[in-house]
Amino acid sequence: MTRILAVGRYSDVDAAALAAMGAQALPSAAALAALPAALRAEVHGVAFMGHESFGAAEMDLLPALRVIANFGVGYDNIDVGAATARKVLVTNTPEVLSDDVADLAVGMLIAQSRGFEAGIASVRSGDWQRRGPLPLARRVTGRRVGILGLGRIGREIADRLAGFRCQIHYCARTPRQTPGWTRHGDPLSLARAVDDLVVAVVGGEETRGLVSAEVIAALGPDGVLVNIARGSVVDEPALIAALEQGRLRGAALDVFWNEPAVDPRLAALPNLLPLPHVGSATVESRAAMGELQRRNLSAVLAGQAAVTPINAP
Ligand code: NAP
């Protein structure tokens, strides 16, 4: 018997679609060990959703596993090396969410620069009437903006910001075809050349702490840092110190080191605009992600090529 496990907290729509494929729901990977060994031995496919780690230990609980179909483009929480070693194919959901994540990144840069949060609070509290106007904000149009990671999402962010007549600089290991944007070989050189920095690289060990204390210092007291990639990419204690001491004007973060348990020192900062990891959280993106996840799962379990594979075991 071919069993599929739907691991994670799915929307009702996705849960129903996975159930229609015969998938059994499991709230988290941590619950795997409690399943009977005979059931685990029949699991060929995992539809995975969430940011908890899925590594060798979890894979070893599923000896017949053939595919882990991730709901999301980022897969830094899945040990792809361990999967390849066990001949398990891993798939993700690229492209279909890029527009929404890019919209969010640009929206966060504007909201942070123009002081949306303080403005909204001033209207709601009555301070607008009691205390009068807020201090002036800063413009986004025409700023020099650095994109750390000009991949699918980074490119969409850059294209949008080019529409705001921003001067685009980027950092990526491989040069990209661009309409004359400036490439930098490392994040420090990028940060030194720009006013604001948007982080769009992959997560994982290779990019951990890429936005270091030095990079944050190079942005300086007029700079804004936006991160829609992964919390691990930014040195969070260094960011907190810079924001507390006014060495960075502001940050807008959709992702955090220890999410959803955000450091209370960070969450309390007035020059932080925080969002709860909602980059792809639209009806449209989530529907497309679910559909792509299920197409990958069905294809591999039917012995066909995956639509968007990550590894080639
Ligand atoms: P992508 O197309 O693979 O782009 C990733 C970028 O990272 C590429 O420009 C790549 O360029 C760069 N990169 C990879 N390894 C690197 C390294 N070691 N050092 C420096 N740069 C490196 O991925 P994507 O579809 O744009 O997604 C990017 C990330 O966004 C995902 O991995 C995910 O973590 C995050 N994300 C967040 C949300 C959210 O809800 N906030 C939603 C979707 C995705 P080079 O290989 O040329 O260096």
Side-chain angles (χ1 to χ4, degrees), residues 36 133 180 282:
T282 66

Side-chain angles (χ1 to χ4, degrees), residues 5 7 26 28-30 32 43 45-62 65 67-68 70 75-80 82-83 88 90:
L5 291 179
V7 179
L26 202 66
S28 79
L32 274 174
V43 173
V46 165
F48 190 71
M49 181 185 195
H51 300 289
E52 63 177 331
S53 116
F54 199 97
E58 287 73 25
M59 295 174 206
D60 286 341
L61 289 169
L62 305 170
L65 189 62
V67 56
I68 302 166
N70 189 44
Y75 50 85
D76 45 297
N77 51 331
I78 299 174
D79 188 338
V80 177
V88 175
V90 183

